[in-house]
Amino acid sequence: MKRPLFNQPIFSRPLFNRLSSRIFAIFWLTLMLVVVVLLLLPHLDPRSQHTIPQPELERYQNAAARISERLSSQPGTLQKKLLPLADPERHKGMQLYFTNDDGELLTPHQRTKALRNFITSADSPDAPRQKLYGRWMVAGPFLVKDQQQSALMYIGRVSHRPPPFFLRILDQPFHLLLLTMLVSTPLLLWLAWALSRPARKLQEAAQRVASGQFTQDPTLESSGPLEFRQAGASFNQMVTSVNQMISGQQRLLSDISHELRSPLTRLRMATALAQRKQGNSTELERIDTEAERLEAMIAKLLELSRMQIHGQETREYSDAVSLWQDMLEDAEFEASQNQKALSCGPLQPWPLAGNAELLISALENVVRNAIYYSKDRIEVQFSANDHSLTVTIDDNGEGVPDDQLQDIFRPFYRVSTARDRHSGGTGLGLAITENAIRQHNGSITASHSPLGGLRVTLMLPLAQKSQRHSLSQPEAR
């Protein structure tokens, strides 16, 4: 037998199955990828130092040789002789820089920031290189000298090519931030999906329970991080415990009702024997009437008990026409036999999900109650929106006092007015209806009717597409 997941030893569980471990790992993996990308970008950067193409290298070296010959033929210090050569106006689109052997700039002028950066890594005239800074290409160093001193020459020129993609990213922090977000987005999306999927399944299971479907979902224990699987296992245990508790309470009520029938049957037999021996009397008739009422009450209790036990077990998809059309036609016939008029609004096939027997019984109890207590008129109206169906039942009877409108749905409650004084009812009909509507995640209210009697309003949620696929179709009635 498989051990429950939440009873396994902590050291036997894979570390990555834990939600906290996944979040920690994803965080560091994302950070590591960003660091790797940032480390790789300089190597992909066209500005990185690379060998000067041979034709350009030869041109630069020849220029350095000519400058050296010119310097050797001129008198004066080397720095004074280099100043005219470093004049920005002398070379169109090109700039010459000169430094001593220690890298100190001999000819200060514009654009020295890029030069200073380049000098730190390119200071050997035996291996001249070049590097791009934005649109400014710097190459060097090349050795120039006169008869006594030497200097290093660097050449800067404008590059007419557009800046490469990586260059624009590295030059603009906002673009670099966007790249970081782009690299981390797939991992973060995967993490969000891994967290939301089991959470959404748990939410759907909770919604099913809230709508009255007390069923376990084994998939809650088989997917997702460990914490969600533990929550799923606990959720399924909770559903099992609730089912057992409800079943136990209702079976107890059912057993009590059955046990009451035995002494009740003996009481009625004893009453019948007494009537046979002594003849009819008011006292014996009263005993028999009360016994009959008690038997009817027990039958209603058994019906309520069966409803609460089996109401969650049988769930199917149906519609308002197939549920109530025949019942309403029978009610119209019954009302006409009692010289009363029952009118019904147009009934359409609104989708409903639940226990068909309970839904039929719920409306039937209210309609027959209205027929019984009305003077001569009953109206049943239907209205629906995108999410719910509302049914209103009006009669023109005596009505119910304001302070008792909320109490008529309590079991065994009977109104202390002419409406219920001589009915002989058990006070369970509307309680059965209220229980059935509540099991289907609906509501029931009582108010004064425009006809002068009682108005009962039923509200039931319409079945959604997800419920229609998950519930079975009803059998033909």
Side-chain angles (χ1 to χ4, degrees):
M1 181 176 179
K2 186 178 178 181
R3 297 173 62 188
L5 182 63
F6 46 86
N7 287 333
Q8 293 182 7
I10 187 67
F11 296 105
S12 67
R13 304 168 185 163
L15 181 62
F16 195 66
N17 284 338
R18 287 187 167 275
L19 179 61
S20 55
S21 300
R22 288 192 182 188
I23 296 176
F24 183 81
I26 290 297
F27 171 78
W28 282 108
L29 181 60
T30 302
L31 186 61
M32 183 176 65
L33 284 177
V34 171
V35 171
V36 169
V37 169
L38 293 178
L39 291 177
L40 289 178
L41 278 178
H43 297 282
L44 300 174
D45 185 2
R47 299 175 304 182
S48 298
Q49 297 183 40
H50 56 272
T51 304
I52 303 174
Q54 189 62 31
E56 292 186 14
L57 178 61
E58 292 178 358
R59 189 168 69 251
Y60 293 154
Q61 289 175 339
N62 292 335
R66 290 194 301 270
I67 290 175
S68 296
E69 293 178 0
R70 182 175 178 178
L71 294 176
S72 299
S73 62
Q74 293 178 354
T77 62
L78 180 62
Q79 185 172 3
K80 289 183 178 181
K81 292 185 286 186
L82 291 175
L83 285 176
L85 298 176
D87 186 358
E89 303 296 333
R90 185 180 184 116
H91 308 282
K92 186 176 181 181
M94 185 176 293
Q95 176 68 57
L96 299 182
Y97 307 94
F98 297 94
T99 68
N100 59 20
D101 294 336
D102 296 329
E104 296 178 2
L105 195 63
L106 300 176
T107 54
H109 44 66
Q110 304 178 31
R111 301 180 184 268
T112 58
K113 183 177 180 181
L115 175 65
R116 296 180 188 281
N117 180 274
F118 184 72
I119 289 175
T120 58
S121 55
D123 56 359
S124 173
D126 297 329
R129 307 183 70 82
Q130 67 179 6
K131 187 175 181 180
L132 183 65
Y133 293 89
R135 288 183 176 270
W136 191 250
M137 180 74 76
V138 181
F142 302 97
L143 182 64
V144 295
K145 58 184 179 179
D146 58 8
Q147 296 176 349
Q148 298 178 351
Q149 295 178 307
S150 63
L152 297 178
M153 180 181 71
Y154 294 88
I155 303 173
R157 61 182 178 84
V158 176
S159 177
H160 298 287
R161 296 180 180 180
F165 173 73
F166 290 111
L167 182 62
R168 294 195 299 270
I169 290 179
L170 292 178
D171 283 342
Q172 301 186 30
F174 181 72
H175 289 173
L176 184 60
L177 176 62
L178 289 180
L179 178 63
T180 304
M181 295 173 62
L182 184 64
V183 171
S184 60
T185 293
L187 290 173
L188 297 179
L189 287 177
W190 177 83
L191 178 62
W193 176 83
L195 296 181
S196 63
R197 184 168 176 265
R200 187 165 54 252
K201 292 176 62 177
L202 187 61
Q203 178 191 14
E204 292 172 353
Q207 287 178 340
R208 287 195 297 270
V209 172
S211 64
Q213 302 178 51
F214 292 91
T215 56
Q216 294 188 10
D217 187 354
T219 60
L220 296 177
E221 305 178 42
S222 59
S223 61
L226 180 64
E227 288 82 355
F228 279 105
R229 282 182 280 161
Q230 289 178 336
S234 300
F235 181 86
N236 286 334
Q237 278 194 344
M238 178 196 71
V239 172
T240 301
S241 300
V242 170
N243 278 327
Q244 291 175 349
M245 180 179 64
I246 294 176
S247 298
Q249 290 179 345
Q250 304 312 320
R251 286 194 179 92
L252 176 62
L253 177 61
S254 178
D255 292 342
I256 293 174
S257 301
H258 278 295
E259 291 299 324
L260 288 176
R261 279 189 165 183
S262 297
L264 180 61
T265 302
R266 291 194 294 269
L267 176 61
R268 298 199 66 183
M269 290 179 61
T271 303
L273 290 175
Q275 287 177 339
R276 182 177 300 177
K277 290 182 179 180
Q278 302 177 11
N280 292 332
S281 65
T282 304
E283 291 78 6
L284 292 177
E285 289 180 356
R286 179 63 181 272
I287 292 174
D288 187 64
T289 300
E290 294 299 328
E292 185 178 353
R293 290 184 58 195
L294 184 57
E295 187 174 7
M297 187 180 301
I298 292 175
K300 286 290 185 178
L301 280 173
L302 288 175
E303 180 184 351
L304 180 61
S305 176
R306 285 192 298 269
M307 176 190 306
Q308 293 177 334
I309 292 176
H310 303 294
Q312 308 296 342
E313 298 176 359
T314 307
R315 292 265 167 170
E316 59 189 24
Y317 169 73
S318 185
D319 63 85
V321 173
S322 62
L323 284 175
W324 296 322
Q325 184 68 51
D326 294 341
M327 183 274 294
L328 290 173
E329 291 177 356
D330 292 342
E332 288 181 8
F333 178 77
E334 178 182 340
S336 64
Q337 294 299 307
N338 290 278
Q339 289 75 45
K340 299 179 181 181
L342 171 63
S343 61
C344 296
L347 190 60
Q348 299 181 19
W350 294 292
L352 294 169
N355 187 296
E357 182 179 351
L358 295 188
L359 291 173
I360 294 173
S361 176
L363 183 58
E364 184 178 17
N365 282 343
V366 180
V367 172
R368 294 191 182 279
N369 188 72
I371 293 174
Y372 186 88
Y373 291 110
S374 68
K375 295 178 180 178
D376 56 8
R377 186 180 173 189
I378 307 97
E379 292 183 359
V380 181
Q381 299 294 332
F382 300 89
S383 62
N385 55 31
D386 293 338
H387 305 288
S388 62
L389 170 65
T390 302
V391 187
T392 57
I393 303 95
D394 294 285
D395 66 64
N396 62 347
E398 296 292 335
V400 175
D402 291 340
D403 58 347
Q404 300 183 52
L405 286 173
Q406 301 303 319
D407 296 327
I408 61 176
F409 302 110
R410 288 165 42 195
F412 305 110
Y413 187 85
R414 302 181 67 191
V415 180
S416 57
T417 64
R419 182 179 177 93
D420 202 39
R421 189 175 298 149
H422 305 292
S423 68
T426 61
L428 287 173
L430 291 179
I432 291 175
T433 296
E434 191 273 340
N435 186 276
I437 296 298
R438 179 164 42 82
Q439 286 193 40
H440 290 81
N441 208 29
S443 63
I444 180 171
T445 57
S447 59
H448 292 293
S449 170
L451 302 182
L454 179 68
R455 164 175 284 187
V456 177
T457 303
L458 310 180
M459 191 283 292
L460 288 168
L462 295 179
Q464 304 301 317
K465 291 184 178 180
S466 58
Q467 289 179 295
R468 302 181 197 182
H469 293 297
S470 62
L471 298 176
S472 60
Q473 295 294 327
E475 299 179 358
R477 292 186 177 87

